[in-house]
Amino acid sequence: MVYFCFKDTKVYLFTMTTIVIGEILCFVFYYFYQTTVTRPDLHGNGVFTMLLEQIYQKDNPYNCFPSIHVLTTYAIMLASLQIKRKHIINTLLIHVLGTLIILSTLFTKQHVFLDVAASMLIVSVIYSLLAMVFSTQILVKKQRKKAVWKKNSKQQNCCPIYQIPKMKNCRTR
């Protein structure tokens, strides 16, 4: 997100709005419908077993549907496609790491496939709705600008700049 903030502020704000709305929806769902994921018993003394035990101790197995881990990761992956003039390595890095994060939630038994699918669906819907709202606002602003410009040019009795002068008192460069 820090990269988005410096690279393209509009994409950053769009992504943050998507994440905030998505998390609010998740918390509303968690409030009314608590879900849990049953975790397997861990056996062994290896480093990865100890690491997984630490994860299980820190992260409780409830509020799993939909997954906020997947929601934020997928929102960032979608947003990375909107950044213009970026290096291909940035996009690849974001998508490879994002995919690994999403898969890790499944492999560590933090979430099930339905949690992942629901989160991706929520992000896609929110992203699409926000895109429609923002594009509508942009069109309205452009139409207002155009109307103001036409109004001003009529008041000044002048034709647009760079147009061949056909009227009296027209400015040209």
Side-chain angles (χ1 to χ4, degrees), residues 14-97:
F14 193 85
T15 306
M16 285 303 294
T17 305
T18 301
I19 291 171
V20 168
I21 292 170
E23 287 189 9
I24 289 170
L25 289 174
C26 287
F27 291 131
V28 167
F29 194 83
Y30 299 156
Y31 181 77
F32 290 109
Y33 185 70
Q34 290 256 330
T35 57
T36 60
V37 172
T38 51
R39 294 177 174 166
D41 292 330
L42 299 176
H43 304 288
N45 299 346
V47 175
F48 295 113
T49 305
M50 291 171 49
L51 184 62
L52 200 54
E53 283 176 353
Q54 288 292 320
I55 291 171
Y56 286 174
Q57 287 175 0
K58 302 284 186 216
D59 192 13
N60 295 321
Y62 53 86
N63 293 339
C64 299
F65 179 86
S67 168
I68 289 182
H69 297 103
V70 175
L71 184 129
T72 54
T73 303
Y74 191 63
I76 290 170
M77 290 169 70
L78 280 180
S80 73
L81 298 174
Q82 303 303 315
I83 300 281
K84 294 181 174 101
R85 291 176 280 150
K86 63 185 176 287
H87 200 277
I88 189 71
I89 292 176
N90 290 346
T91 305
L92 286 173
L93 192 63
I94 288 170
H95 285 270
V96 167
L97 291 176

Side-chain angles (χ1 to χ4, degrees), residues 66-67 70-71 74 77-78 102 115-125:
S67 168
V70 175
L71 184 129
Y74 191 63
M77 290 169 70
L78 280 180
I102 292 169
D115 304 338
V116 172
S119 295
M120 292 175 127
L121 179 67
I122 288 170
V123 169
S124 299
V125 168

